[in-house]
Amino acid sequence: DTAVSQTPKYLVTQMGNDKSIKCEQNLGHDTMYWYKQDSKKFLKIMFSYNNKELIINETVPNRFSPKSPDKAHLNLHINSLELGDSAVYFCASSPASGDEQFFGPGTRLTVL
Amino acid sequence: AQSVTQPDIHITVSEGASLELRCNYSYGATPYLFWYVQSPGQGLQLLLKYFSGDTLVQGIKGFEAEFKRSQSSFNLRKPSVHWSDAAEYFCAVGGYSGNTPLVFGKGTRLSVIA
């Protein structure tokens, strides 16, 4: 009974490709997030959605485009991948902004 | 703006020794405070949280944390560390003020030696 799931767990791709990461939560939460964790383990918030609406869009290249087809899903599409995009991407959800967040297992993206 | 400082980037303790990880926060109202743990190759797992009430909160895996408003701190403690506690620990602050999500500290890496 996974609360927050992400696919794929690992993603290895070439520079310039386009890829997507999917996230689903079965907790009934209203708010979902995408984070990027770099090699120094620093967690940087990228996007936050509340009830399918974009709430937070941090300074992220517009090659990154989140999509929330419904409250339980928040996908991340990345165009024209660059070496610097290599990181672990975490999806999370919470009942409301500022509340406890539940994290997915992460997707390790490696751009060659 | 809210912020979280974890002053220690890396801490090494001996197995069986006590542990204290420091966390200082800045928040304009009554904060909600959290500690998360991230084991190697895993996602973040909540250890404990403080919303209100008793300032000493108990969490999973034998951890506890104490909220000290006067010091703007929420330090994590464990009386006896086990080798399996080696991980990255994140402190976070949040609250019900608009659409502001949790703010995370930069993390403290805990190493445990025999």
Side-chain angles (χ1 to χ4, degrees):
Chain A
D1 245 15
T2 306
V4 182
S5 59
Q6 294 179 229
T7 53
K9 189 166 174 63
Y10 299 97
L11 188 51
V12 181
T13 187
Q14 300 285 334
M15 268 197 317
N17 284 351
D18 304 337
K19 291 293 178 187
S20 292
I21 307 172
K22 295 186 176 181
C23 177
E24 177 181 3
Q25 55 99 359
N26 62 5
L27 298 167
H29 289 164
D30 285 344
T31 310
M32 295 185 73
Y33 312 84
W34 277 110
Y35 287 88
K36 179 181 181 181
Q37 186 176 48
D38 61 23
S39 57
K40 292 184 179 178
K41 301 294 186 184
F42 179 53
L43 270 172
K44 180 178 186 294
I45 189 165
M46 302 171 70
F47 303 103
S48 169
Y49 268 73
N50 186 276
N51 271 319
K52 303 194 301 175
E53 287 191 28
L54 181 64
I55 301 297
I56 289 176
N57 182 352
E58 292 293 322
T59 310
V60 175
N62 57 16
R63 298 182 295 103
F64 290 79
S65 53
K67 284 191 172 49
S68 183
D70 56 57
K71 211 171 74 161
H73 295 84
L74 180 61
N75 303 323
L76 183 65
H77 188 75
I78 316 169
N79 288 328
S80 303
L81 279 156
E82 300 177 357
L83 292 177
D85 298 332
S86 295
V88 180
Y89 292 84
F90 286 102
C91 176
S93 72
S94 66
S97 289
D99 205 345
E100 173 187 349
Q101 292 183 10
F102 293 77
F103 283 79
T107 296
R108 181 175 292 277
L109 171 65
T110 302
V111 182
L112 304 174
Chain B
Q2 53 208 67
S3 65
V4 175
T5 302
Q6 294 180 244
D8 304 305
I9 295 173
H10 184 202
I11 284 183
T12 300
V13 300
S14 299
E15 193 169 14
S18 63
L19 170 70
E20 182 168 31
L21 301 183
R22 296 183 290 163
C23 172
N24 292 97
Y25 68 89
S26 172
Y27 192 74
T30 301
Y32 298 161
L33 293 158
F34 307 84
W35 274 101
Y36 284 84
V37 62
Q38 184 181 24
S39 297
Q42 305 294 315
L44 278 73
Q45 180 186 21
L46 182 73
L47 280 176
L48 47 78
K49 59 187 177 185
Y50 170 79
F51 280 12
S52 65
D54 193 347
T55 56
L56 184 64
V57 293
Q58 303 297 321
I60 62 171
K61 306 186 182 190
F63 285 91
E64 66 177 27
E66 186 170 12
F67 170 54
K68 292 186 177 179
R69 185 186 298 275
S70 61
Q71 297 177 21
S72 296
S73 69
F74 189 57
N75 294 347
L76 182 71
R77 300 193 293 249
K78 185 169 184 178
S80 178
V81 168
H82 187 261
W83 64 267
S84 60
D85 293 323
E88 193 84 20
Y89 291 81
F90 293 93
C91 181
V93 64
Y96 285 104
S97 58
N99 286 315
T100 308
L102 297 188
V103 174
F104 285 85
K106 293 189 175 182
T108 297
R109 182 160 64 97
L110 173 66
S111 296
V112 180
I113 57 177

